[in-house]
Each structure stands twice: as C-alpha cells, then as structure tokens.
Amino acid sequence: QVRLVESGGELVQAGGSLKLSCAVSGRTFNHYTLGWFRQAPGKEREFLAVVLWSGGNTYYADSVKGRFTISRDNAKNTVDLQMNSLKPEDTAVYYCAAAPLYSGSYYVPSVYDYWGQGTQVTVSS
C-alpha cells in the first residue's frame, strides 16, 4: 500500500514563499509519476506540477509556471513544491498524488492512484 503525507501548508502573506513536502511510502518510489494539485472551495481540483517517473521531466500549469518548482528526492522518498511570489488566488488545499509507471495525461486527476490528505495554504492580501 502506498501512503502520501503532505506537510508545510500555512498562512503566508502575498508575495511570500512556502515549501510543501510530500512523503511517499512504498518500495518503488522511483517508479511513480508524482504530481501536485490544489482545490479551492467550490472549484475543481487543479493540476499544478508533475515530475515523471521516467527521465524526471517536469511540467507545470500556466498559472504557476515560473513561480512554483517541483522536485523529487529518490533517496528520501519525497516530492517537494517550492512556491514563490504567492498570490491570494493560490489559497487552496494542496494535494500530492502518485501514479505508478505513468507518463500520459498527467494533468488529469483520475490517472493518479494514490493521494495524500491535503495541506491548507492560505495567502493573505
């Protein structure tokens, strides 16, 4: 069984930075494509960033490109999301997700088999 646990969410002022971390249990961490999503109240879950299991390529949503950076540490079994220049509209619950051996439509939530419980990020104006 794979378990994902996010941490790092908190209240931050607009323009500030925050780093989220996701610890992933499981014996084949380097076989997972790992993504970050967020969901604001009343809105659908939104893709933010992904690091693919094969080759380590990263991709970002236009809304966060240039501000957010995803990185994985195969030694520590973690995937982080560094968030800079935060805006009030970044306020949401942030989730990490894992898809074993997958490199297709990584922006679609339903392709991910495993999800964390989420961590709240609040950006004040």
Side-chain angles (χ1 to χ4, degrees):
Q1 184 66 18
V2 178
R3 185 166 177 252
L4 291 79
V5 179
E6 303 97 336
S7 61
E10 62 182 65
L11 173 65
V12 63
Q13 286 189 333
S17 297
L18 205 56
K19 186 176 184 178
L20 305 182
S21 186
C22 176
V24 183
S25 67
R27 291 176 289 180
T28 56
F29 176 81
N30 59 340
H31 288 177
Y32 299 137
T33 279
L34 298 165
W36 281 95
F37 291 76
R38 68 186 178 191
Q39 190 165 19
K43 294 189 176 181
E44 294 187 351
R45 194 161 294 192
E46 176 190 11
F47 165 76
L48 299 176
V50 67
V51 54
L52 302 184
W53 75 276
S54 178
N57 292 346
T58 58
Y59 299 94
Y60 297 89
D62 288 342
S63 59
V64 304
K65 196 174 295 183
R67 299 191 298 126
F68 290 11
T69 302
I70 188 171
S71 60
R72 67 188 296 161
D73 188 329
N74 288 341
K76 296 181 178 180
N77 283 19
T78 58
V79 56
D80 294 339
L81 186 68
Q82 176 67 45
M83 306 186 295
N84 299 327
S85 303
L86 284 163
K87 308 173 183 179
E89 51 264 43
D90 292 319
T91 295
V93 177
Y94 284 66
Y95 299 89
C96 63
L101 302 174
Y102 188 84
S103 301
S105 303
Y106 50 77
Y107 48 88
V108 178
S110 61
V111 307
Y112 292 83
D113 296 320
Y114 306 103
W115 292 83
Q117 82 289 348
T119 186
Q120 176 70 47
V121 172
T122 304
V123 184
S124 63
S125 56

